[in-house]
Amino acid sequence: MAVLSDLDDEMEQQHEKPSSSSSPSLSTSVDAADEEVLYPILAKKGPMAFLETVVDVLRRRSDLFKDDSAVKKIMAVVSAAREKEVVEERLRKEGEAARRASSQTESLKEKSLELKPEETSKKQPQESGETNGKISKPNAGNGLDLENHSWTQTLQEVTVIVPIPPGTKSRFITCEIKKNYLKVGLKGQPPIINGELYQAVKPDDCFWSIEDENSLSILLTKQNQMEWWKSLVKGDPEIDTQKVEPENSKLSDLDPETRQTVEKMMFDQRQKSMGLPTSDEMQKQEIMKKFMAEHPEMDFSKAKMG
């Protein structure tokens, strides 16, 4: 089978080519039954599961593992494959964050071009925190566009975009992410963001990167992934969470229990926005009506239904 010779070639690239007298042969034949097992593993489970299966075939069908040097080569190949898999997963996540950051940066640019000078001067006081006690409407990403940064959110994550001078290198960036605290800025300058986060995050699952050489993208993974944030940091302008627009397409990715909770929360938000009772209030009303029907002898004229 071709895959055995491929494995042999990879081991030779990791170490010096062994002599024919000191290493067992890898020319062990693999029958059709093995092929039927290996090909689906490669297609469905990926290279790591495939490699582990190949190694198991070698162990059973050859005397390869009787040679200590051959065992070391096999372990080197497995370690290299695992490391490659970890790196590819990290790059995938960074790529997704980069795409979101790029989209949000373009949105900010378009909005700034659409604003007239007088509109900009009127908007700045509100964006700097002077909200006059009003709750802001969320932006397209269920967050808020502020004077020197913007943020968006899903139930699971918060993405922060901070414009920076073109060509700024990572060594000039200050980004400190803690469980309940965020500090962002340029070294030697006052911080752009500095305060207590609205809710806790998972620091080990948060990261930042420079996008398009002119913006800093920060991905924050929420600790409580069942609630919308009203602001990025406490004291900042808040949004009306009853007007957020969840991505319905993402509900299918949730487990049944979490999905049911999210759908209930969305229903209650819509009911509140229309001045109607929530699901819990409707349930209490039904219980009260049933109790009243079962006890007609009682006077419920002063009972409150709420």
Side-chain angles (χ1 to χ4, degrees):
M1 182 177 174
V3 74
L4 298 182
S5 61
D6 291 343
L7 181 61
D8 194 11
D9 291 341
E10 188 170 0
M11 289 191 299
E12 290 179 358
Q13 293 175 4
Q14 297 288 333
H15 302 274
E16 295 182 4
K17 186 176 181 181
S19 62
S20 58
S21 59
S22 61
S23 297
S25 172
L26 296 180
S27 60
T28 305
S29 62
V30 179
D31 56 25
D34 289 320
E35 293 185 7
E36 291 180 359
V37 172
L38 292 176
Y39 283 128
I41 290 176
L42 178 60
K44 296 181 179 180
K45 296 187 177 181
M48 276 307 305
F50 174 75
L51 180 57
E52 292 172 353
T53 304
V54 170
V55 171
D56 184 61
V57 171
L58 291 175
R59 179 183 60 79
R60 292 184 288 103
R61 298 297 184 86
S62 73
D63 58 355
L64 174 65
F65 287 88
K66 294 181 180 179
D67 186 349
D68 291 341
S69 63
V71 173
K72 292 179 179 179
K73 294 174 185 176
I74 290 292
M75 295 307 296
V77 172
V78 173
S79 297
R82 287 188 183 278
E83 182 177 353
K84 181 179 179 182
E85 190 173 51
V86 171
V87 171
E88 289 178 347
E89 177 64 16
R90 179 175 61 81
L91 292 176
R92 183 187 67 79
K93 289 184 177 180
E94 291 179 352
E96 291 177 354
R99 286 191 293 272
R100 288 198 298 268
S102 178
S103 175
Q104 292 165 10
T105 301
E106 289 299 322
S107 177
L108 284 176
K109 289 179 180 179
E110 291 176 0
K111 289 181 179 179
S112 63
L113 291 175
E114 292 174 357
L115 286 176
K116 297 178 181 180
E118 60 271 22
E119 291 175 334
T120 303
S121 62
K122 292 178 181 179
K123 189 175 181 181
Q124 285 179 350
Q126 181 175 350
E127 290 182 336
S128 62
E130 300 174 9
T131 58
N132 297 324
K134 294 182 179 180
I135 303 297
S136 303
K137 180 180 179 181
N139 59 20
N142 295 325
L144 195 61
D145 299 330
L146 301 174
E147 182 179 4
N148 52 16
H149 67 280
S150 69
W151 62 277
T152 60
Q153 65 174 320
T154 64
L155 280 173
Q156 294 79 29
E157 301 171 340
V158 173
T159 301
V160 185
I161 300 298
V162 181
I164 56 177
T168 301
K169 303 299 181 182
S170 59
R171 62 178 178 272
F172 299 117
I173 299 292
T174 296
C175 187
E176 184 178 355
I177 305 173
K178 295 182 179 179
K179 181 179 178 181
N180 296 293
Y181 175 77
L182 176 64
K183 182 179 180 181
V184 181
L186 299 175
K187 291 183 178 179
Q189 299 184 20
I192 299 172
I193 303 173
N194 185 19
E196 182 181 359
L197 290 168
Y198 181 76
Q199 285 192 1
V201 298
K202 301 177 182 179
D204 292 339
D205 295 333
C206 302
F207 62 87
W208 61 270
S209 61
I210 295 177
E211 307 298 341
D212 298 329
E213 297 185 351
N214 62 6
S215 64
L216 177 65
S217 172
I218 307 165
L219 179 67
L220 305 174
T221 301
K222 296 179 180 179
Q223 191 168 85
N224 177 6
Q225 301 189 346
M226 295 300 299
E227 186 174 349
W228 298 106
W229 285 17
K230 292 184 178 180
S231 65
L232 176 62
V233 296
K234 294 182 178 179
D236 268 6
E238 294 185 352
I239 63 170
D240 186 354
T241 54
Q242 293 184 14
K243 295 183 179 180
V244 299
E245 298 180 0
E247 299 180 43
N248 295 328
S249 60
K250 297 296 183 181
L251 292 177
S252 59
D253 299 334
L254 303 175
D255 60 84
E257 183 178 355
T258 303
R259 177 174 178 175
Q260 182 178 5
T261 303
V262 173
E263 289 176 340
K264 177 180 179 296
M265 181 179 65
M266 292 167 58
F267 173 80
D268 290 344
Q269 287 177 347
R270 288 193 297 268
Q271 291 290 99
K272 287 181 179 180
S273 66
M274 295 184 292
L276 299 175
T278 63
S279 56
D280 290 336
E281 292 170 345
M282 293 170 64
Q283 185 177 11
K284 291 178 182 178
Q285 291 177 1
E286 289 297 324
I287 294 175
M288 188 63 179
K289 289 178 181 179
K290 183 178 180 180
F291 181 79
M292 292 170 63
E294 293 175 350
H295 299 276
E297 72 281 1
M298 298 179 66
D299 181 15
F300 296 96
S301 59
K302 296 182 180 181
K304 293 183 178 180
M305 301 287 287

